[in-house]
Amino acid sequence: METIITLLIGVLVSVATYLLLSKNVIRVVLGSAILSHAIHLLLITMGGLKKGGVPILGGKVETYVDALPQALILTAIVISFAVTAFFLVLMYRTYQSVGTDNLHEMRGTNDE
């Protein structure tokens, strides 16, 4: 199962790299979002699958599972969602003021 997730991470990183190298601003924003999700999957996969019970006191379980990695990844997902939403709003306002979403036209170097 970890091998399949590792292959999925590789596909996500390659798609994100392709999108980040685009001229279109929306593709760059989506590429950064996909790359952050690939990194989240990588961190969860590196943690591995642990077997044990829920860490609630009073239970009759001998081994407990550490919930800290999942909590940290959940926090990172929420933060990346907020950053992506901010990038989308910033991109929309830039499009309204400049009138284009092409990065080369925004820079003033229209190489065609």
Side-chain angles (χ1 to χ4, degrees):
M1 185 66 177
E2 289 179 355
T3 306
I4 295 172
I5 294 178
T6 305
L7 291 173
L8 176 66
I9 292 167
V11 168
L12 286 175
V13 167
S14 61
V15 167
T17 303
Y18 174 76
L19 290 174
L20 284 171
L21 295 174
S22 176
K23 292 180 183 179
N24 195 343
V25 178
I26 189 72
R27 288 185 179 182
V28 172
V29 172
L30 290 176
S32 67
I34 291 173
L35 185 62
S36 69
H37 289 303
I39 292 171
H40 297 149
L41 274 175
L42 176 67
L43 292 174
I44 281 291
T45 305
M46 286 174 50
L49 178 65
K50 307 286 192 280
K51 296 187 178 185
V54 180
I56 297 176
L57 295 177
K60 297 180 180 179
V61 180
E62 296 177 9
T63 59
Y64 294 106
V65 177
D66 187 17
L68 186 63
Q70 288 86 6
L72 291 176
I73 292 298
L74 182 61
T75 305
I77 289 170
V78 169
I79 291 170
S80 69
F81 177 73
V83 168
T84 302
F86 174 72
F87 282 161
L88 285 172
V89 169
L90 187 66
M91 186 242 359
Y92 179 68
R93 292 291 298 155
T94 304
Y95 179 76
Q96 281 183 337
S97 64
V98 176
T100 184
D101 64 346
N102 191 333
L103 289 173
H104 292 293
E105 291 177 10
M106 285 181 190
R107 273 189 225 137
T109 58
N110 193 2
D111 299 329
E112 291 186 21

